[in-house]
Amino acid sequence: MARRALITGITGQDGSYLAEHLLDQGYEVWGLARGQANPRVSRMRKLLSDVQVVRGDLLDQGSLISAVERVRPDEVYNLGAISFVPMSWEQAELTAEVTGMGVLRMLEAIRVCSGVSRGAAAPSGQIRFYQASSSEMFGQVTETPQNERTAFHPRSPYGVAKAYGHFLTQNYRESYGMYAVSGILFNHESPRRGAEFVTRKVSLAVARIKLGMATELRLGNLEARRDWGYAGDYVKAMHLMLQADVPEDYVIGTGHMKSVRELAEAAFDAVGLDWEQYVVTDQKLHRPAEVDLLCADPKKARTQLGWEPRVSFDELVAMMVESDLRLLADGGDPDQDSSWP
Ligand code: NAP
Ligand code: G4F
């Protein structure tokens, strides 16, 4: 019988790549989707027609229990979150509820449905749980590169909520013997990235400028540095983590960092334009507390899981710019048109 996976955040970037990867591996894939008329669910169904949908919301404990009871998954991937850092200052409480408390609700749904209780041995063939932790937990970094033992100093309500989910996942593993792990993933991008994130904001703007549809690109902090990889590579690491004999947490990233300035330069270069002619900096786009740099040490994932990123930074930037050029030239609506500046 096919193994069954339940993915929260199925309408997001990672949900789509993970679903494709698991379908390729022969899984029966279920996506948890919220809302009674969520347009992102219809779009997801067009892209991923083999994914089955179960309704539920990370804010609603009962809905998660019902979803787990209905799907009876072998593996649960908790990717659902408010994931845009600036939004977490504007809606800090909601971020805590979805991104933080949502992890507790999902773990409780699995615990209750599996009949796991304190003191009793976890049943064999238990549901395996993956939590989408984030390099934002490192925040103001205490060492570079960051590994699984680096201390956390989150710099946003989002980072704080992720740290709660991370420690809770570890705690359920230690308290109940549950198979529960976190992937501490560094920034990963793709043509499916939301337009509010800087890589997609840049690739869309470059495509618009090249096609004569725009004349400038407004950005915030050009000096921030990130370890940017390709989402299609990173979802493979999520799956590998849940296949390990022993549940453990892993850092996933490329080990190389670039600045926002270098990102803009590479993206304009890809279409033969000079970034300095078009990029305008805007103080309003700076964050109240910035994460200046993030750079992964992915050695543990490489040696224990055999995971390696395949797509380089330059290939990723070229892939995103080319995709947005095609999308706009075909008259496509980058549905991703963000309401964020
Ligand atoms: P994304 O594109 O923003 O997707 C977020 C998903 O969360 C969407 O499917 C959204 O569904 C869902 N969601 C929001 N509120 C929900 C709720 N109340 N109940 C259930 N689902 C809800 O994010 P992503 O880039 O794919 O990232 C996936 C996960 O990895 C997130 O947890 C993110 O924080 C984490 N992460 C991402 C990165 C990265 O660089 N991409 C790095 C580290 C960690 P709707 O369509 O219904 O809004
Ligand atoms: O693309 P960003 O918004 O991503 P950020 O804040 O690093 O968060 C992403 O990666 C995390 C993993 O480290 C995830 F957990 C999280 O869910 C999300 O996927 O911003 C990247 C950098 C920041 O330093 C920001 O200040 O780009 C800088 N930046 C400069 N100008 C900008 C802009 N960011 C955005 N979004 N828009 C700008 O105009």
Side-chain angles (χ1 to χ4, degrees):
M1 216 174 73
R3 291 177 68 71
R4 268 195 297 276
L6 173 61
I7 302 173
T8 75
I10 191 70
T11 57
Q13 169 189 259
D14 290 7
S16 72
Y17 284 105
L18 179 63
E20 281 171 354
H21 181 60
L22 295 179
L23 288 167
D24 280 351
Q25 304 285 314
Y27 278 71
E28 180 181 315
V29 178
W30 289 75
L32 183 98
R34 69 184 172 131
Q36 63 183 53
N38 181 342
R40 281 161 55 102
V41 177
S42 348
R43 282 199 293 272
M44 181 277 296
R45 281 187 199 272
K46 280 188 204 132
L47 182 71
L48 299 163
S49 54
D50 290 334
V51 170
Q52 304 185 60
V53 171
V54 59
R55 296 287 163 180
D57 195 309
L58 287 166
L59 296 172
D60 182 344
Q61 179 72 75
S63 74
L64 301 181
I65 293 174
S66 301
V68 173
E69 275 175 346
R70 173 156 175 222
V71 177
R72 294 268 151 218
D74 299 291
E75 298 171 10
V76 172
Y77 295 85
N78 186 38
L79 311 185
I82 286 176
S83 75
F84 186 45
V85 172
M87 176 153 167
S88 78
W89 278 287
E90 293 190 13
Q91 299 187 20
E93 187 177 340
L94 186 65
T95 303
E97 281 292 343
V98 178
T99 306
M101 288 291 286
V103 186
L104 173 65
R105 295 188 190 99
M106 198 68 234
L107 282 164
E108 275 296 289
I110 294 170
R111 190 183 70 77
V112 167
C113 294
S114 322
V116 174
S117 57
R118 266 192 303 269
S124 60
Q126 59 175 312
I127 299 170
R128 295 186 171 202
F129 175 79
Y130 172 87
Q131 168 56 19
S133 284
S134 165
S135 49
E136 274 289 307
M137 299 184 306
F138 296 125
Q140 183 108 311
V141 299
T142 55
E143 59 179 342
T144 297
Q146 296 85 47
N147 62 39
E148 292 78 6
R149 293 171 307 285
T150 302
F152 296 159
H153 182 157
R155 296 271 283 167
S156 63
Y158 168 80
V160 173
K162 281 288 179 189
Y164 172 78
H166 182 85
F167 283 127
L168 197 75
T169 301
Q170 185 182 319
N171 181 259
Y172 269 55
R173 184 164 78 218
E174 293 172 0
S175 303
Y176 299 109
M178 284 170 61
Y179 194 113
V181 304
S182 293
I184 307 175
L185 270 55
F186 284 61
N187 300 50
H188 45 280
E189 320 292 316
S190 74
R192 298 180 195 165
R193 186 60 144 152
E196 62 273 34
F197 300 95
V198 75
T199 53
R200 188 78 198 286
K201 181 173 175 179
V202 168
S203 66
L204 269 169
V206 166
R208 287 198 177 101
I209 290 169
K210 182 70 183 173
L211 296 172
M213 299 160 74
T215 53
E216 67 169 32
L217 164 59
R218 299 191 90 76
L219 290 174
N221 181 7
L222 297 181
E223 307 314 325
R225 284 176 287 167
R226 290 291 182 276
D227 178 336
W228 278 296
Y230 172 53
D233 287 340
Y234 286 40
V235 298
K236 293 178 183 163
M238 298 176 188
H239 177 242
L240 284 172
M241 277 181 228
L242 290 198
Q243 312 316 307
D245 291 338
V246 180
E248 288 183 37
D249 304 331
Y250 294 87
V251 156
I252 300 296
T254 69
H256 305 285
M257 57 181 168
K258 298 276 184 187
S259 64
V260 173
R261 181 189 301 273
E262 289 170 302
L263 165 70
E265 194 174 349
F268 279 96
D269 262 5
V271 295
L273 295 176
D274 174 7
W275 74 281
E276 286 182 288
Q277 308 285 313
Y278 303 98
V279 172
V280 177
T281 51
D282 185 340
Q283 198 58 35
K284 288 198 290 297
L285 295 170
H286 284 243
R287 297 178 179 185
E290 177 64 284
V291 171
D292 296 325
L293 71 91
L294 291 171
C295 185
D297 172 2
K299 186 162 156 232
K300 181 179 173 188
R302 189 167 58 239
T303 51
Q304 291 187 206
L305 301 175
W307 179 83
E308 299 256 17
R310 301 273 168 220
V311 176
S312 70
F313 175 77
D314 286 337
E315 288 167 340
L316 174 64
V317 171
M319 177 201 300
M320 293 178 70
V321 171
E322 279 160 25
S323 168
D324 281 329
L325 276 171
R326 272 195 307 277
L327 181 73
L328 295 173
D330 292 349
D333 165 14
D335 102 319
Q336 325 266 359
D337 246 341
S338 175
S339 53
W340 295 90

